[in-house]
Each structure stands twice: as C-alpha cells, then as structure tokens.
Amino acid sequence: MKSLKKSISITLDYPVIEKIQKLADREDRSISSYINLVLRDHLEHLEAMKEK
C-alpha cells in the first residue's frame, strides 16, 4: 500500500519557524504535522471561498 504522504523540503524564514515550533509544541505536534494541518485548513478555506 502506498503512503498517503510524501516527504519534501521547504525553506522558511527563521521567525516563521520559531512561531510554528511554539504553536506545534502547544498542540503537542511535530512541526511537519502542524504545517500539514495549517495548509490543509487553508486549502479547505480557499475551496469554500471559491464556491461562494
């Protein structure tokens, strides 16, 4: 069975990384998991806005 996830590499500004790390820690998530959650929510929001 193929994995539903793919590993990628991204470059982020240091202040962004610091903020994401704090937010991820607050939710007891990894940075990767937190970024995935935020991006998924953002994409869903864009789709909902498109349907209006």
Side-chain angles (χ1 to χ4, degrees):
M1 180 175 189
K2 283 189 173 184
S3 173
L4 298 177
K5 295 189 177 199
K6 180 177 180 178
S7 178
I8 64 165
S9 176
I10 62 171
T11 303
L12 301 171
D13 296 333
Y14 189 73
V16 172
I17 296 169
E18 286 182 319
K19 290 177 184 178
I20 290 172
Q21 181 66 67
K22 287 178 184 175
L23 292 168
D25 287 347
R26 194 181 320 170
E27 294 190 16
D28 196 29
R29 295 179 178 270
S30 66
I31 290 178
S32 178
S33 173
Y34 187 79
I35 291 172
N36 194 61
L37 176 71
V38 170
L39 288 173
R40 187 179 324 116
D41 287 348
H42 179 68
L43 292 171
E44 289 174 2
H45 173 75
L46 289 176
E47 283 295 318
M49 296 300 292
K50 190 168 123 178
E51 293 174 2
K52 287 185 176 182

